[in-house]
Amino acid sequence: MITTTSRNILVLSLSVFILSMGQNMWFAFAPEYLRLLGAGVAIVGVFSSLQSFFKAIYNYPAGRFLDRYGLRATLVGANILAAIGYLIYLISPNFIVVFIGLPFVMIWPAFVVPTTIRLLAKEAAGRAGNTQLFTREIMARLPTLLAPTLGGIIIGLLNNNVVRGVQVGLVITLIASFITLLLQGAGYQAEPKKDSSSGKNVFEIWGEMSADMKRMLWCELLVKYAEVLPRALIAIYALKVLQAPAWAFGTMLALEIAVAVFARGRLNEIAATIGYKRWLTLSFLATAVFPITILFAPHWGWLYLSFLIAGFKTAGGPVRGIMLTKLSNPEREGQHVGLYETLSDLAVLPAGVLGGVLWQFVGVGVPFWLALIGGLIGCAIFYFFAPEVYPQKK
């Protein structure tokens, strides 16, 4: 018998798969798209920081909206608003108009993350449930394995015209958004809401958060800073500096996800045995090392090695999701995880701007070196001070 939760997880998985297939055809090429529309590298860095800003301010309201109004209203509303953003991106004559669409586009990832964590957590009970959580999360990542390669091929077929290729990807995303809207509206079944109260504010939710969850927050900040600092610069470095073909860059992104999927499947039991913190520390180490390997690549072909390392960075996502879920208050998981992500993203808000400014006014390699140094220090802080979480503990 298919339970309501199982049905909703199936609908969510299909929705995320379809819309992510559209999004990931163009998303990785967005920094170069902005540059070609007239933005300097420093402006691209600002764009990256604004992505973090909107994701941050949306995370907590998304969790609260989810707790109060349920799955269908959350996902359908996020889908409609994100589609407005895709349309603005599509018709933008210059990079300034793209900035107008950004607040709409970022609604989808901000609202979908706490929803996904909450749904998957319902099936996670003990060791078997954690295996299921990893499997579901891997399935949600498959579009990022396939779509960037397709996006790169589309750009290649358009004579390596990144602007045209991104626009084609945006048209496909709008179609995908319409399909997922129909799926979400018809497929979700109502579930009892965990929290129908309106009395909890941000400060009260912060007070409810466990000491361990707060400790994990500050312990991972430096690593996250190291990740965001060069984030928007990687595509520009690969496509402009090393002259990588768009199709090749797409396959590099696919390699990253393929390695992540393999690592998640094989290392799930290891993580469950040794504790999630140790496995997440290894993932954070890959986060620190990844940018500097790009800087030292003598030819774009060497970037495949860099993105292989990046796969182990990406592989830490499910472990981090499990840790947050287990450390949060089960009565208000959406709000706790949402507030956590909001504070985390706000803390690293200057990183994208800093990376772009350093590239443009100090030196191309400076953001990559700074990411390495900060990331290594962050790994040490996380390993020695972050809370440990095991499968049998809640």
Side-chain angles (χ1 to χ4, degrees), residues 121-134 268-269 272 276 322 326 390-394:
K122 288 183 178 180
E123 289 197 345
R127 191 179 299 268
N130 290 325
T131 300
Q132 203 167 36
L133 180 56
F134 271 79
N268 175 23
E269 288 301 318
Y276 295 130
I322 290 173
K326 289 180 175 292
Y390 291 95
Q392 69 271 22
K393 294 181 180 180
K394 178 67 179 174

Side-chain angles (χ1 to χ4, degrees), residues 119-189:
L119 273 174
L120 299 183
K122 288 183 178 180
E123 289 197 345
R127 191 179 299 268
N130 290 325
T131 300
Q132 203 167 36
L133 180 56
F134 271 79
T135 302
R136 297 290 190 181
E137 208 275 345
I138 287 170
M139 291 299 296
R141 285 284 187 173
L142 283 180
T144 58
L145 173 62
L146 304 173
T149 301
L150 293 176
I153 291 173
I154 290 172
I155 293 172
L157 292 174
L158 295 170
N159 296 319
N160 223 33
N161 189 321
V162 174
V163 173
R164 291 294 183 191
V166 169
Q167 288 173 341
V168 170
L170 286 165
V171 171
I172 294 173
T173 307
L174 282 167
I175 296 171
S177 182
F178 178 73
I179 294 172
T180 55
L181 186 62
L182 296 178
L183 182 63
Q184 292 158 2
Y188 275 115
Q189 290 183 339

Side-chain angles (χ1 to χ4, degrees), residues 56-387:
I57 64 172
Y58 290 156
N59 269 321
Y60 176 73
R64 184 156 189 166
F65 194 94
L66 173 65
D67 285 338
R68 294 202 64 198
Y69 300 106
L71 300 166
R72 182 179 298 176
T74 300
L75 270 297
V76 169
N79 199 338
I80 293 172
L81 292 172
I84 295 173
Y86 303 142
L87 182 60
I88 293 173
Y89 275 21
L90 177 62
I91 63 176
S92 297
N94 54 58
F95 73 90
I96 297 175
V97 180
V98 175
F99 275 78
I100 297 174
L102 181 60
F104 296 96
V105 169
M106 291 307 298
I107 286 176
W108 173 258
F111 273 58
V112 121
V113 167
T115 302
T116 304
I117 290 175
R118 172 177 166 176
L119 273 174
L120 299 183
K122 288 183 178 180
E123 289 197 345
R127 191 179 299 268
N130 290 325
T131 300
Q132 203 167 36
L133 180 56
F134 271 79
T135 302
R136 297 290 190 181
E137 208 275 345
I138 287 170
M139 291 299 296
R141 285 284 187 173
L142 283 180
T144 58
L145 173 62
L146 304 173
T149 301
L150 293 176
I153 291 173
I154 290 172
I155 293 172
L157 292 174
L158 295 170
N159 296 319
N160 223 33
N161 189 321
V162 174
V163 173
R164 291 294 183 191
V166 169
Q167 288 173 341
V168 170
L170 286 165
V171 171
I172 294 173
T173 307
L174 282 167
I175 296 171
S177 182
F178 178 73
I179 294 172
T180 55
L181 186 62
L182 296 178
L183 182 63
Q184 292 158 2
Y188 275 115
Q189 290 183 339
E191 289 185 311
K193 301 176 182 62
K194 286 188 175 184
D195 179 25
S196 59
S197 67
S198 59
K200 296 289 183 181
N201 58 44
V202 166
F203 300 103
E204 290 172 317
I205 294 298
W206 170 257
E208 284 184 352
M209 287 172 63
S210 67
D212 282 342
M213 195 171 190
K214 293 175 182 176
R215 184 151 50 97
M216 181 172 168
L217 175 63
W218 71 261
C219 281
E220 75 163 335
L221 283 182
L222 200 53
V223 174
K224 190 162 185 178
Y225 210 95
E227 179 181 18
V228 175
L229 187 71
R231 183 174 59 192
L233 309 177
I234 291 170
I236 295 176
Y237 193 90
L239 296 169
K240 180 187 176 185
V241 178
L242 295 180
Q243 297 292 304
W247 65 264
F249 186 64
T251 58
M252 292 170 197
L253 298 170
L255 174 64
E256 175 184 347
I257 301 303
V259 172
V261 169
F262 176 81
R264 290 166 185 177
R266 299 295 181 180
L267 296 176
N268 175 23
E269 288 301 318
I270 297 176
T273 301
I274 68 174
Y276 295 130
K277 183 175 78 169
R278 290 175 178 82
W279 168 226
L280 192 53
T281 302
L282 292 176
S283 174
F284 284 167
L285 182 61
T287 301
V289 173
F290 167 55
I292 204 67
T293 63
I294 291 178
L295 186 64
F296 277 97
H299 179 267
W300 64 260
W302 286 85
L303 292 180
Y304 284 100
L305 178 60
S306 300
F307 281 89
L308 186 149
I309 295 172
F312 290 95
K313 166 181 75 76
T314 307
V319 170
R320 184 174 177 275
I322 290 173
M323 290 184 71
L324 289 180
T325 299
K326 289 180 175 292
L327 292 173
S328 66
N329 183 330
E331 292 301 316
R332 275 178 286 276
E333 284 173 4
Q335 294 175 69
H336 282 213
V337 173
L339 180 58
Y340 183 100
E341 297 290 7
T342 292
L343 296 173
S344 176
D345 287 332
L346 285 177
V348 300
L349 191 59
V353 176
L354 178 61
V357 169
L358 289 174
W359 168 301
Q360 188 162 341
F361 299 107
V362 181
V364 171
V366 175
F368 298 90
W369 278 109
L370 194 57
L372 173 68
I373 296 169
L376 291 177
I377 296 173
C379 284
I381 292 173
F382 188 84
Y383 181 79
F384 288 108
F385 297 105

